[in-house]
């Protein structure tokens, strides 16, 4: 068992120093944004805000300067992301490109691919989506059926992706597809392709969520012709590349702060009411849980900063974080229901509804609770 490595760490002062500037940028952009929209945290997007983030140097924080990055460590990004999520800033447009696509391109891409994509990601002008899940291939990702065949000019892609967040805004998808063999070959014969979503033969259809919002999509590929340099990394090495990508996806502070805007708004509501001991206990319990989760998340990020791959620990934080995030809207709704004499701002109710509707997704996106617990159990030597 490796959990003795998850020692508490401090964020260096040089990274903490980023807070005033990112706070200023956020305040300038979200002044009039309603609470229920801020409560969607990283699911809400605004191209103007993404470009402003890029201009201020807050995107690609860990990327090399020669591609437009800031060449800082993961803890600098932790500070910036923490501020964005706690304020409910509209990060959705650049979110996936900044969090994982850029890192995958940096790690596995050719020099030409890095030069083509990374500077535009850092400027907040180019967005990506994740093309992993397919109907029948979610947790069992190795069974993907979308297939690309080599042609004289590059690749011909056919198949379908589903639950693709932000595909309707994104310029590119990094898709996991089969380039040889059969689905029964599992993780052999898979590759990652950079798919231009404007290419003929790509169809994107919305899948509305429980709030009626359009975040998810189905994406269909019908004889999509892609150039040779659509291949990202090595042909047939898609499985190990996608595993590295999932590590970036699971380790960030977004796995603990999805209900933070709502929690903050409710605490502000309570502060305006007569004192109540039960409420003080509830606020103490929720904030104590959040503080502990944050310490764990900082500790995981510190290990990433040290060049390690804390896959088991990141899974542990994501699982505990999702459980916490999901408990918040229910506990707050129960609390308000037990004070029927109070007048509650309609926006607070709207935010509770919004988070209640998206909360089931917290333990699905980025790997379900059961899959993460399987990883944790394996790491602990239990299976
Ligand atoms: C908000 C949100 C955003 C998403 N965005 C994207 C995206 O941008 N791109 C993308 O590719 N995908 C995306 N997804 C899809 C997500 O990755 C899948 O939903 C997830 O991997 C689960 O796959 P599935 O939905 O097919 O469920 P299934 O894999 O069919 O699982 C159904 C249930 O069975 C359980 N289960 C499955 N296998 C096992 C097992 N071996 N042991 C124990 N239990 C098991 C699961 O835990 C789950 O409870 C998103 C999902 C959500 C909710």
């Amino acid at each position: 068992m490796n959990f003795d490595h998850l020692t508490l760490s401090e964020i260096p002062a040089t990274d903490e120093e980023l807070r005033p500037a990112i706070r200023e940028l956020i305040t300038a952009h979200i002044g009039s944004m309603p609470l229920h929209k801020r409560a969607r945290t990283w699911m809400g997007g605004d191209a103007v805000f993404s470009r402003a983030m890029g201009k201020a140097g807050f995107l690609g924080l860990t990327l090399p300067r020669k591609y437009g990055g800031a060449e800082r460590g993961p803890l600098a990004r932790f500070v910036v992301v923490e501020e964005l999520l706690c304020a409910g800033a509209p990060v959705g447009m650049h979110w996936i490109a900044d969090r994982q696509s850029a890192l995958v391109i940096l790690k596995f891409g050719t020099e030409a691919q890095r030069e083509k994509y990374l500077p535009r990601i850092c400027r907040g002008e180019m967005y990506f989506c994740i093309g992993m899940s397919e109907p029948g291939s979610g947790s069992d990702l190795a069974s993907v059926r979308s297939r690309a065949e080599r042609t004289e000019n590059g690749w011909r892609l056919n198949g379908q992706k589903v639950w693709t967040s932000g595909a309707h805004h994104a310029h590119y998808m990094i898709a996991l597809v089969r380039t040889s063999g059969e689905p029964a070959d599992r993780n052999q014969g898979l590759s990652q392709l950079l798919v231009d979503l404007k290419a003929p033969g790509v169809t994107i259809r919305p899948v509305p969520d429980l709030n009626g919002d359009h975040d998810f999509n189905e994406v269909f590929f019908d004889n999509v012709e892609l150039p040779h340099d659509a291949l990202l990394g090595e042909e047939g090495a898609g499985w190990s590349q996608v595993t590295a990508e999932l590590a970036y996806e699971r380790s960030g502070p977004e796995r603990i702060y999805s209900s933070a805007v709502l929690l903050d708004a409710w605490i502000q509501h309570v502060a305006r009411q007569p004192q109540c001991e039960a409420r003080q206990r509830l606020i103490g319990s929720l904030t104590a849980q959040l503080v502990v989760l944050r310490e764990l998340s900082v500790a995981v990020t510190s290990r990433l900063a040290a060049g390690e791959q804390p896959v088991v620990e990141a899974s542990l934080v994501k699982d505990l974080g999702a459980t916490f995030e999901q408990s918040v809207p229910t506990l707050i709704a129960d609390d308000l229901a037990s004070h029927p004499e109070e007048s509650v701002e309609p926006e607070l109710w709207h935010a509770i509804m919004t988070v209640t509707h998206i909360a089931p997704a917290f333990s699905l996106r980025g790997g379900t609770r059961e899959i993460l617990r399987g990883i944790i159990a394996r790491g602990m030597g239990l299976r």
Side-chain angles (χ1 to χ4, degrees), residues 43 96 129-134 136-140 162-165 215-216 361 364-371:
M43 291 171 79
I96 287 162
C129 62
I130 305 166
M132 295 187 196
S133 307
E134 298 184 0
S137 303
S139 303
D140 186 18
V162 73
W163 310 124
T164 323
S165 304
D215 185 51
F216 290 132
L364 293 173
R365 61 190 185 188
T368 67
R369 171 168 285 136
E370 291 73 23
I371 294 303

Side-chain angles (χ1 to χ4, degrees), residues 300-334:
V300 167
T301 308
S302 301
R303 288 196 48 201
L304 281 173
E308 296 171 45
Q309 296 234 327
V311 175
V312 176
E313 291 80 354
S315 302
L316 188 73
V317 177
K318 182 180 180 301
D319 183 37
L320 292 171
T323 302
F324 167 77
E325 291 173 328
Q326 286 176 332
S327 73
V328 170
T330 312
L331 290 169
I332 290 179
D334 286 353

Side-chain angles (χ1 to χ4, degrees), residues 210-211 262 329-330 333 350-362:
L210 278 178
N211 285 314
L262 174 62
T330 312
H350 198 163
I352 292 170
M353 292 295 289
T354 300
V355 180
T356 302
H357 284 158
I358 56 175
F362 299 163

